[in-house]
């Protein structure tokens, strides 16, 4: 049963005004359960409502998108069964990012690759996971090399400085979730966000998702205070940005985001058709559908 204070995803999101280009990819979303088929992990730090693949694919069509990149969420730990099931149902219309144990075998990784997995996720957010020794992550990074997978990392802005040496040890494409979660109260010019911008300037193998204004805004459900952060990244790194709904929006406290409204933020952060095409089609297709 979901946590007492858990806010389930929006039951009927609005139709976005923004029309996504043909082939648009929701490059960050999750599937949860259903718990009776895919139980939540005993070590999870939250218990969500069920958010099955059927609802995800329904939302994809409702928002005018064509493909999904489904990211393993911490509530399922390293049991990727729900993710794999969704990938097998979607065929070429979905790819995945898994969370694996250091004991994972090459055969298991190859089976995930055949299902559509193209990366692993390293989660550093303390309220979501217990900390994992860097050596463990480095051993996983070694194991995925034969697959040519990339690494998605989820951390908060205060963690960045300490993580930079570790990120520099990962010699594969790295995708940072949700812009590294900047504190929008500090503004784009603050040293913290500038450190993140500099990280991408210094490392052309580091990408970022310009997602989750709903998590970062100080003025929910208005997302204007987050727009300058995402727009800076889209304009400075147009070939290394991805966008996602983050449906079903786990652990939201301030409000239940309307996915149609999230889509309508896109033209504000990617103000030209060319930038929108890179963000929603070219970049995710290059990273997830190039093999
Ligand atoms: O901020 C969060 O609570 C959150 C959690 C997860 C997860 O549990 O994996 O993933 C996300 O992208 C965001």
């Amino acid at each position: 049963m979901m946590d007492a204070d858990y806010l389930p995803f929006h039951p009927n999101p609005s139709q976005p005004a923004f029309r996504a280009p043909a082939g648009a990819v929701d490059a960050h979303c999750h599937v949860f359960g259903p718990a009776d088929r895919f139980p939540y992990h005993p070590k999870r730090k939250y218990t969500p409502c069920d958010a099955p693949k059927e609802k995800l694919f329904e939302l994809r069509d409702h928002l005018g998108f064509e493909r999904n990149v489904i990211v393993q969420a911490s509530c399922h730990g390293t049991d990727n069964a729900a993710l794999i099931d969704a990938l097998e149902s979607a065929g070429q219309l979905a790819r995945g990012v898994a969370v694996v144990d250091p004991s994972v075998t090459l055969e298991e990784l190859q089976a995930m690759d055949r299902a559509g997995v193209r990366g692993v996720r390293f989660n550093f957010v303390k309220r979501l996971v217990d900390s994992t020794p860097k050596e463990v992550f480095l051993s996983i990074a070694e194991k995925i090399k034969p697959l040519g997978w990339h690494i998605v990392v989820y951390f908060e802005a205060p963690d960045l400085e300490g993580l930079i040496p570790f990120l520099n040890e990962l010699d594969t494409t790295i995708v940072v979730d949700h812009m590294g979660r900047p504190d929008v109260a500090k503004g784009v010019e603050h040293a913290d966000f500038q450190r993140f911008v500099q990280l991408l300037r210094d490392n052309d193998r580091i990408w970022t998702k310009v997602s989750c204004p709903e998590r970062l805004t100080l003025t929910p459900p208005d997302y204007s205070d987050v727009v300058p952060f995402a727009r800076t990244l889209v304009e400075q790194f147009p070939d290394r940005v991805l966008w996602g709904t983050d449906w079903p929006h786990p652990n939201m406290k301030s409000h239940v985001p309307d996915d149609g409204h999230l889509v309508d933020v896109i033209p504000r952060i990617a103000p030209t058709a060319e930038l929108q095409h890179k963000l929603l089609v070219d970049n995710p297709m290059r990273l997830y559908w190039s093999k």
Side-chain angles (χ1 to χ4, degrees):
M1 201 39 202
M2 70 181 167
D3 296 323
D5 61 348
Y6 188 91
L7 291 179
F9 57 88
H10 199 295
N12 56 344
S14 58
Q15 192 77 34
F18 174 71
R19 288 198 52 69
V25 181
D26 177 350
H28 186 94
C29 48
H30 310 283
V31 287
F32 294 162
D36 57 1
R37 275 194 69 199
F38 303 111
Y40 299 112
H41 199 273
K43 287 178 64 181
R44 66 185 178 279
K45 294 193 185 296
Y46 66 90
T47 302
C49 62
D50 285 351
K53 62 188 175 183
E54 293 82 6
K55 298 293 281 181
L56 176 64
F57 301 151
E58 199 179 291
L59 178 74
R60 173 198 64 197
D61 299 343
H62 171 73
L63 297 176
F65 280 64
E66 286 184 30
R67 295 168 187 251
N68 294 96
V69 178
I70 309 173
V71 177
Q72 177 76 351
S74 63
C75 54
H76 277 302
T78 55
D79 177 354
N80 297 281
L83 167 63
I84 299 299
D85 175 68
L87 295 179
E88 289 172 346
S89 298
Q92 283 310 308
L93 297 184
R95 289 290 188 262
V97 177
V99 175
V100 300
D101 280 316
S103 59
V104 68
T105 66
L106 181 59
E107 292 69 28
E108 288 168 334
L109 293 171
Q110 287 168 330
M112 289 184 209
D113 192 78
R114 284 192 297 275
V117 174
R118 292 293 183 270
V120 289
R121 193 184 200 204
F122 294 167
N123 194 331
F124 297 91
V125 178
K126 298 173 186 61
R127 63 178 162 83
L128 295 172
V129 292
D130 297 333
S131 72
T132 299
K134 297 287 181 298
E135 308 72 60
V136 171
F137 281 143
L138 290 172
S139 74
I140 293 170
E142 275 309 306
K143 285 194 166 181
I144 64 170
K145 277 188 179 160
L147 287 300
W149 290 1
H150 61 277
I151 295 170
V152 172
V153 291
Y154 190 27
F155 57 80
E156 295 169 300
D159 304 328
L160 173 58
E161 193 164 11
L163 276 176
I164 289 177
F166 169 72
L167 296 176
N168 286 331
E169 289 193 61
L170 302 174
D171 55 4
T172 183
T173 299
I174 296 169
V175 183
V176 177
D177 280 337
H178 316 328
M179 304 184 278
R181 289 193 68 116
D183 174 355
V184 298
K186 296 180 175 175
V188 169
E189 295 314 317
H190 188 278
D192 285 0
F193 186 65
Q194 288 305 313
R195 179 179 301 115
F196 183 68
V197 174
Q198 193 58 46
L199 177 74
L200 270 70
R201 274 203 204 104
D202 294 343
N203 300 277
D204 62 10
R205 76 190 190 296
I206 301 184
W207 297 36
T208 186
K209 296 171 192 172
V210 286
S211 44
C212 284
E214 72 283 3
R215 295 186 181 282
L216 302 171
T217 184
L218 301 174
T219 57
D222 180 280
Y223 305 135
S224 302
D225 57 348
V226 186
V227 167
F229 293 81
R231 184 164 174 154
T232 296
L233 296 165
V234 170
E235 291 179 337
Q236 291 203 26
F237 311 106
D239 299 312
R240 290 188 269 148
V241 286
L242 300 170
W243 181 89
T245 56
D246 194 29
W247 186 87
H249 313 288
N251 305 308
M252 285 301 297
K253 303 292 182 219
S254 61
H255 67 298
V256 174
D258 176 329
D259 299 280
H261 293 167
L262 292 176
V263 170
D264 283 337
V265 173
I266 293 171
R268 299 173 65 188
I269 66 173
T272 68
E274 184 196 10
L275 287 171
Q276 290 156 16
H277 202 270
K278 285 173 180 279
L279 175 66
L280 299 173
V281 184
D282 301 335
N283 297 348
M285 290 305 291
R286 187 167 79 252
L287 190 56
Y288 288 97
W289 275 271
S290 59
K291 71 164 183 168

